[in-house]
Amino acid sequence: EQRIVHGYVDFSGNIWDFLPAARSLVKGLLRYNYETRSTIAMALETQWIDCDLEDLEKAYRERISLN
C-alpha cells in the first residue's frame, strides 16, 4: 500500500515485458504528483486502449442493442 501511495510500482514481473503500452498507462495513472498524473481522458487516448477502441465500441453497441 505504501509503495502505491508514494508512486512506486514494481514492473519487474515477466508480464510487463510484453505489455509496454500497459506499463506506460499504469505509470501515468499512478503518478504521485497530481499535476503530472494522467487523466481518464489521457488514458483513453493511450495506445493500449486505443488499439482496441473500435472493437470495444462495436461490442458495446451490439450489447446495448440487445436490451
Side-chain angles (χ1 to χ4, degrees), residues 37-57:
R37 186 179 309 132
S38 295
T39 64
I40 295 300
M42 293 164 73
L44 290 173
E45 294 176 357
T46 62
Q47 178 188 1
W48 193 61
I49 292 177
D50 190 53
C51 70
D52 293 322
L53 198 54
E54 195 172 301
D55 292 335
L56 291 170
E57 181 73 24

Side-chain angles (χ1 to χ4, degrees):
E1 181 178 306
Q2 286 299 315
R3 293 182 306 229
I4 292 173
V5 168
H6 293 288
Y8 175 77
V9 180
D10 182 12
F11 290 104
S12 63
N14 290 337
I15 191 72
W16 293 108
D17 293 339
F18 300 101
L19 300 168
R23 181 177 55 225
S24 177
L25 170 64
V26 171
K27 279 183 178 181
L29 290 171
L30 294 179
R31 204 167 281 142
Y32 183 74
N33 183 341
Y34 72 92
E35 292 178 340
T36 60
R37 186 179 309 132
S38 295
T39 64
I40 295 300
M42 293 164 73
L44 290 173
E45 294 176 357
T46 62
Q47 178 188 1
W48 193 61
I49 292 177
D50 190 53
C51 70
D52 293 322
L53 198 54
E54 195 172 301
D55 292 335
L56 291 170
E57 181 73 24
K58 180 182 174 188
Y60 170 74
R61 293 200 181 281
E62 288 173 357
R63 179 165 282 196
I64 63 169
S65 69
L66 294 176
N67 294 330

